[in-house]
Amino acid sequence: MGPTSASAVGTPRAPLSERVFAGSMRGAAGGVALILAGVLTFLAVRGGPAMFAQEGELPAHATNFLQLAGPAAFGSLWVAVIALVVASLPAIGVALAATIYAPSPKFGRFLAAVLDLLAAVPSVVFGLWGLMILAPLMVPIYGWLHRNLGWLPFFSGEPSVTGRTVLTAGLVVGVMILPIMAAMCRESFALTPPALMEAAVALGATRWEMVRYAVLPTARSGIVAGGMLALGRALGETMAVAMVLSWTPYLVSVNLVSSGNPVTIAAFIASTFPESTGSQVGALIGLGLVLFGISLLVSIAGRRIARQGVTR
Amino acid sequence: MTATVPAGTRADSSGASPVQPGAAGLAVPAQMSLADAVEMGLVAAPGSAGSAGLAGLPVAPGHISITGVSCYYGSHLAVADVSLEVPGRAVTAFIGPSGCGKSTLLRAINRMHEVIPGARSLGSIILDGVDLNGSGVDAVAVRSKVGMVFQKPNPFPAMSIKDNVLAGLIIRGARPRGSAADDLVEQCLRRAHLWDEVKDRLKKAGDSLSGGQQQRLCIARAVAVQPDVVLMDEPCSALDPISTLAIEELMRDLAQDYTVVVVTHNMAQANRISDVTAFFSLAQAGQPGRLVESGPTGDLFSAPKVAATRDYIEGRFG
């Protein structure tokens, strides 16, 4: 920012406003990189040693870091995958309704605005909604699932009486990532070449057949990229999960309806931090580093797929 | 597959048709093209200005009678009151300046214009005794009888060459398997004069071909669903001269089995390939397009009845 970077930019003839503009842009770009580097350094320096911490130095009476990080990493991915499964079809459906199926462009814009509003709802509100409304509603459904589909590992075990299960958390996070994914899908669908849609229609395709053979294949990379970005968002979701989920440490389970649920990294950090001290805090920061790594991988994969879609 | 357009189909439409009662008395083979009929003196002089003007012609299968067709985009009248006989198993060219409604009319024939919100058309478009524009007729079914080839080749990029040919059937959930599929693909690609060029790479993506090859692939795709009519909306305007020649040859060849209607800006092309030419024009920009004159191509180009046609053909206008 400011005069230091501006002096290195442009030819002497560049007007002052141009130099100030270019300088501040470079400053902003550098600032972002600097913040990221700072966060990474913080996580590595403060959290790194915790990865080799002994018994007694770790929260939740863990004996080593991996015992803590492994199940929590699983929990984060598990909740995120449930959310993605829950959100995918509605997101694609809403995006289709806002583009191809919209009776008028006005309706499409209205639907897009509603989705953006959904994205604007604070995480803590979703948490309250999940805790107070959705969880009690789900109790009888979980009971039914257990009685009828109990032979599946997802529905075995005694169903939760509070409804604060990993599936409820996944549903809440699913609603939260729906707008991101729908927005990405909407953009991809809107980019379908009209020539391809015409080709399908001219061959006698109905609207759905046109979507199936002209729109979805072209938008596939956009849909996948949207899913990956939504997954990244779901992985980091903290507040709503921490409020909704009733978890047990170290647990790795695919059960969706029982009271024994794994914890996510973000929710574990949020709920454990207030009563942690010294090396325990270091361990939580180490967990943060693990989550950062997972999110980074998902985000890179998403971007790579999105870019492939553009160059095709 | 054929659904609600049973159409008089090829068998029963060679005789008397309610559209042209006068045609029944003429002992002309159904397969005879218009040009042949004209040469043999069986057809009267081309129609007068603005009228459909081909009465007395034998009705070949695939004949289309367009009567009083007007097309609207919302409240905007794009094509006004066109009546025109499109002979079956022949090539009919629509020519005229930009905005004259020739493409809109072409799209009205297989009801593609309905894809645009607010677009509608009045009047009747009778193919082999069935009004394609009738209220009870399903547009989706019409399009399986009346195929279309577009200005820009548009094969499905995510499908192989083979699947592109079969696309019409795949889309409708009727994908043929095994040798039936292979036979149909070969037959359609041969029909589109493309087989020899692609027979060794049927698994390659549809957009790996050159522009001209892609356009012939689109023609193979259109004929694979066994339409009666193939509409072509400026099919050569995005192609080089060699590819254009190949498509022109193909259009002549297609007219043996299909009714071909082609919109073109290239008057030499219309003169080369078509049996009948219809000239459209508009009074001025924003005004609706109208049919000015139609008739056997040779007559229309050598002795146009209307001054506007002559001006356009001679390049003084448009």
Side-chain angles (χ1 to χ4, degrees):
Chain A
M1 302 259 183
T4 48
S5 50
S7 62
V9 176
T11 63
R13 265 175 296 175
L16 180 67
S17 63
E18 176 65 23
R19 277 178 288 155
V20 169
F21 177 74
S24 45
M25 291 306 109
R26 288 188 182 198
V32 169
L34 218 65
I35 289 170
L36 189 64
V39 169
L40 206 58
T41 313
F42 161 76
L43 287 174
V45 170
R46 295 287 307 274
M51 293 181 182
F52 313 101
Q54 304 300 307
E55 190 173 357
E57 299 171 352
L58 291 162
H61 313 292
T63 52
N64 62 60
F65 184 74
L66 200 63
Q67 188 192 13
L68 210 57
F74 164 81
S76 284
L77 282 167
W78 185 227
V79 170
V81 167
I82 294 169
L84 190 63
V85 169
V86 167
S88 291
L89 279 182
I92 293 170
V94 169
L96 282 175
T99 50
I100 313 293
Y101 280 91
S104 70
K106 207 173 163 186
F107 176 83
R109 283 196 297 273
F110 169 75
L111 209 55
V114 171
L115 279 173
D116 287 347
L117 273 182
L118 191 62
V121 175
S123 179
V124 65
V125 174
F126 275 116
L128 285 171
W129 169 73
L131 183 63
M132 297 171 68
I133 311 287
L134 188 64
L137 270 178
M138 294 305 287
V139 171
I141 297 171
Y142 292 159
W144 184 91
L145 283 171
H146 172 67
R147 281 193 304 279
N148 293 283
L149 295 167
W151 47 274
L152 284 170
F154 306 114
F155 307 115
S156 60
E158 204 48 39
S160 161
V161 292
T162 59
R164 294 170 60 187
T165 72
V166 72
L167 180 54
T168 307
L171 284 170
V172 172
V173 177
V175 174
M176 297 175 71
I177 64 174
L178 179 65
I180 303 173
M181 197 168 168
M184 286 287 287
C185 292
R186 211 174 65 224
E187 280 172 36
S188 318
F189 295 159
L191 288 177
T192 311
L196 280 189
M197 295 197 269
E198 280 189 329
V201 171
L203 284 168
T206 60
R207 194 96 74 103
W208 161 243
E209 288 160 352
M210 179 195 79
V211 168
R212 166 101 168 65
Y213 289 97
V215 178
L216 292 182
T218 329
R220 194 175 51 196
S221 60
I223 297 170
V224 174
M228 297 300 249
L229 292 185
L231 195 65
R233 167 92 167 76
L235 280 169
E237 178 47 41
T238 308
M239 200 60 220
V241 177
M243 288 168 77
V244 169
L245 192 60
S246 163
W247 52 270
T248 313
Y250 321 138
L251 190 68
V252 175
S253 158
V254 294
N255 197 309
L256 296 171
V257 301
S258 80
S259 50
N261 294 290
V263 67
T264 70
I265 291 178
F268 182 81
I269 295 173
S271 7
T272 316
F273 185 78
E275 60 217 42
S276 298
T277 50
S279 63
Q280 293 178 335
V281 173
L284 294 182
I285 296 170
L287 282 176
L289 185 61
V290 172
L291 181 60
F292 182 83
I294 297 173
S295 302
L296 197 67
L297 289 179
V298 169
S299 168
I300 288 171
R303 265 165 213 292
R304 184 159 294 181
I305 295 166
R307 204 170 43 240
Q308 276 173 358
V310 172
T311 52
R312 256 182 68 109
Chain B
M1 218 171 72
T2 48
T4 30
V5 184
T9 60
R10 290 148 203 211
D12 63 14
S13 50
S14 51
S17 141
V19 192
Q20 289 192 317
L26 275 171
V28 175
Q31 291 299 324
M32 177 177 284
S33 81
L34 176 65
D36 297 337
V38 171
E39 273 172 26
M40 292 170 66
L42 288 169
V43 179
S48 55
S51 79
L54 291 170
L57 197 74
V59 180
H63 180 96
I64 305 169
S65 286
I66 297 170
T67 312
V69 168
S70 297
C71 303
Y72 291 86
Y73 292 112
S75 59
H76 173 69
L77 178 62
V79 175
D81 194 25
V82 171
S83 295
L84 175 67
E85 299 297 322
V86 176
R89 307 287 185 271
V91 178
T92 298
F94 288 2
I95 61 169
S98 298
C100 70
K102 54 193 190 300
S103 279
T104 301
L105 181 67
L106 187 81
R107 282 163 177 261
I109 296 176
N110 75 342
R111 297 177 59 178
M112 279 296 289
H113 71 304
E114 286 176 18
V115 174
I116 298 164
R120 67 204 160 87
S121 63
L122 309 174
S124 70
I125 299 171
I126 294 170
L127 169 64
D128 292 337
V130 175
D131 185 0
L132 304 180
N133 207 26
S135 55
V137 177
D138 181 14
V140 169
V142 169
R143 292 175 198 134
S144 66
K145 282 277 147 202
V146 184
M148 190 155 198
V149 175
F150 297 86
Q151 183 171 1
K152 199 166 160 270
N154 55 0
F156 295 110
M159 287 187 183
S160 66
I161 291 170
K162 179 181 169 181
D163 281 2
N164 261 289
V165 175
L166 299 175
L169 299 169
I170 293 172
I171 281 174
R172 287 180 238 161
R175 175 203 274 275
R177 304 268 171 200
S179 62
D182 295 339
D183 292 348
L184 181 62
V185 168
E186 179 174 348
Q187 183 196 332
C188 295
L189 286 173
R190 282 192 188 282
R191 199 77 196 71
H193 301 176
L194 188 61
W195 174 251
D196 291 334
E197 291 161 63
V198 300
K199 64 184 175 200
D200 298 323
R201 44 177 175 152
L202 295 174
K203 291 260 161 39
K204 287 257 176 69
D207 58 355
S208 66
L209 300 173
S210 76
Q213 289 173 328
Q214 286 186 29
Q215 195 62 302
R216 279 178 280 151
L217 178 59
C218 292
I219 292 170
R221 180 176 70 183
V223 299
V225 297
Q226 298 180 300
D228 291 325
V229 181
V230 178
L231 306 176
M232 298 191 172
D233 192 356
E234 298 183 46
C236 303
S237 65
L239 304 180
D240 62 87
I242 307 273
S243 305
T244 298
L245 200 66
I247 301 279
E248 287 185 3
E249 228 168 71
L250 175 55
M251 281 192 268
R252 282 296 340 153
D253 187 26
L254 285 174
Q256 291 173 2
D257 299 318
Y258 309 94
T259 303
V260 177
V261 187
V262 55
V263 163
T264 177
H265 272 120
N266 181 338
M267 270 172 298
Q269 179 175 74
N271 202 358
R272 278 196 297 272
I273 61 167
S274 70
D275 302 298
V276 170
T277 298
F279 172 63
F280 295 81
S281 192
L282 72 176
Q284 61 183 74
Q287 296 280 309
R290 293 174 191 280
L291 176 67
V292 175
E293 180 175 358
S294 71
T297 299
D299 295 352
L300 189 127
F301 275 88
S302 60
K305 293 275 180 295
V306 183
T309 313
R310 188 166 49 242
D311 289 350
Y312 185 74
I313 290 169
E314 291 172 4
R316 283 203 288 268
F317 154 65

